[in-house]
Every structure is written in structure tokens, then in C-alpha cells.
Amino acid sequence: MPALQRTAAVPAAGMLLMLAAMGSFTTMDTVSKLLTGSHDPIQVTWARYTFHALPMLLIAGPARFRRMATTARPALQLVRALALLGSAVLAIVGFSLMPLADLFAISFVAPLLVIVLSVLFLGEHVGPHRWAAVAAGFAGMLIIVWPSGDGVGLLGGAVAFGAALFWAIGLVATRRLDGEDPRTTLFITALVGTVLLSLAQPFVWTPPDAAGWGLMIAMGLLGLLSHTLLIADFSQAPASTLAPLQYSQLIYGLVYGWLVFGDVIGARPTLGCAVIVAAGAYVWWREQRGPDRTGPPIP
């Protein structure tokens, strides 16, 4: 009986950690959106990277720094780092154009874009069920961005889609980096983003006040906390158990959007959110049942 209790408790701990991670990520994004009201998105992204990377460097020390910076596939690491940097910049631009929940909903097309990219660049085969889910996900995105009184508009939709596309490219690159030390991958991504964004600061810098500095530091520390929680939860429960809980970010986004920014989501974006979530959930469900007859499952 004690063994059975431990078995049940471990997935529960992982699920709670995933919910905490999604809440932490959403809090970080809310701070980002607050900062875009007075600072350029490039500066906001710089703060997110820099105050995430600095604690990593301080904790690691010189010896571990050299180990983490060593990689057998520098070109692929660079592609991943640049893709995720592009995704972060576009996401923060998107925060200035639309409610949090709408951007989060559009970002959930990223797993569906991974399917398309895997076919184009990895030569994988995908069955009709997953292609139907991809089509449904894109339809949901069009519902959200369709010009109307309660939609986010084509510009906001294009920015959010770009963020999702770059994120999907980063995910595909991560798959190709299988076997690399995850700490090396995380460190190189943080280092590349910090260096490149630092070079751009003379062109976009607006001196923050004390509250601005506090929000920037908090944003970076929240990013570090979020990734730490994410790593911890995958050590406690299977990825297949945790994947659906990522959609909790939509709920967090709705709550933060209403409490902090007074966002009220219209009927059309709500329908689009539901379609995208349903498409992603269907892909996850198909993965649990096994591959489509015409090809292997897409991770």
C-alpha cells in the first residue's frame, strides 16, 4: 500500500509543479506587457534574457561556465538560440498589441507547426488525423485574428503567429540536439540572446526608473524560476501526463488580463481559442493511442 501511495503522489507532484510553472511563466509575461507601455520591446526582451542569464552565471562559476559553453553542434545551437530569441521578441511585441489570452491561444499553434516542419525538414510522415488537427488549429487562429470589433486584428495575429513559428523552429532544433547536455543548450540560448540584445540597446534604450528596474529584474528571475519548475516537474511525472496542463496558461492569461489590464475577451476570440486548444488536445490524444497508420507519431 505505501508503494502505491508513492506512485500516485509522484504524478500529482509533477502536475502541481507544471501548474506552478505555467503560472510563473504567465506572471513573467504580464510583467513584460506592463514594461512595453514605457520601453521598447527589444529593451524588455534584453532585460528578460539578462536577468535570467546573470544568476545562472553566478551560480555556475568559471569552471562550470566552460563546460556549459562547450558543444559538439555549435551551428544547430545557434539556430535554436536565434529562433527562440526571435520568438521572444515577437511575443513581447505581441503583448503590446493584444490581450494576453489571445496571444497565448495563438502560440498554441506551435505544436501543430512542429508537425509541418517535421514533414518538411525531418522527412517524417504524418497521417490524416494530425493533418486535420493542423488545419483546425489554423482555422482557430484565423477566427481570432479575423478583422472584427472583438478580434485582435491581422497585425497582432501576424506577430503572434511569427512568435509561434520561431518557437516551433526552436523545438525542432531542440529535437535535433538530442544527446546534448540540457544545461549547455539552455546556457547557450541565454548567452546568445543576452549578447545580441545588449548590442542593440544603444539604439532603443530608455532609462528605467526604480520601479522599471524592479520589474525588469523580477521578470528575469521569474524566467529562471519558471524554467527550474519546468525541469523539476518533468522529473516527477511523464511528459504525456503533463502536456495538457500547458493549456492552463490560457486560464492564467484570462485572469491576469482581466485583473491587471481590464481585458475582456470577445465571443469570436473565445471560439478561436477553443478550436486551437481542441486541435492541440486531439493531437495529444492521438499520441497516447499510437501512430496514425500512415506514419510514426510526432513528439
Side-chain angles (χ1 to χ4, degrees), residues 58-73:
L58 293 174
I59 294 170
R64 191 173 294 178
F65 171 86
R66 288 191 293 271
R67 289 199 299 272
M68 290 193 302
T70 302
T71 175
R73 287 174 275 187

Side-chain angles (χ1 to χ4, degrees), residues 40-203:
D40 189 276
I42 298 293
Q43 184 178 354
V44 176
T45 313
W46 169 84
R48 176 184 281 192
Y49 268 83
T50 300
F51 294 114
H52 181 171
L54 285 178
M56 290 177 62
L57 290 173
L58 293 174
I59 294 170
R64 191 173 294 178
F65 171 86
R66 288 191 293 271
R67 289 199 299 272
M68 290 193 302
T70 302
T71 175
R73 287 174 275 187
L76 192 55
Q77 288 281 10
L78 182 61
V79 168
R80 180 185 188 274
L82 292 175
L84 296 186
L85 175 59
S87 178
V89 170
L90 289 174
I92 290 177
V93 172
F95 292 144
S96 67
L97 298 174
M98 69 184 74
L100 286 170
D102 284 346
L103 190 139
F104 291 151
I106 295 174
S107 73
F108 287 132
V109 303
L112 305 175
L113 288 170
V114 169
I115 294 175
V116 178
L117 294 173
S118 297
V119 171
L120 294 176
F121 298 107
L122 302 182
E124 296 183 355
H125 299 282
V126 177
H129 292 278
R130 288 180 179 83
W131 281 125
V134 169
F138 284 122
M141 185 186 68
L142 290 175
I143 292 172
I144 294 175
V145 305
W146 198 264
S148 68
D150 59 355
V152 302
L154 294 178
L155 176 60
V159 170
F161 177 78
L165 177 60
F166 278 118
W167 182 258
I169 293 171
L171 291 178
V172 172
T174 302
R175 288 175 53 184
R176 297 295 297 271
L177 285 167
D178 184 41
E180 287 269 275
D181 188 334
R183 292 169 297 182
T184 295
T185 299
L186 288 172
F187 177 73
I188 291 175
T189 298
L191 183 64
V192 169
T194 300
V195 169
L196 292 181
L197 291 167
S198 295
L199 294 175
Q201 291 315 296
F203 306 100

Side-chain angles (χ1 to χ4, degrees), residues 253-290:
L254 286 168
V255 172
Y256 272 116
W258 177 60
L259 290 177
V260 180
F261 305 105
D263 293 335
V264 178
I265 306 301
R268 186 190 293 269
T270 300
L271 174 61
C273 291
V275 172
I276 292 173
V277 170
Y282 181 71
V283 169
W284 170 80
W285 177 70
R286 290 289 303 179
E287 294 296 343
Q288 309 317 301
R289 294 188 63 213

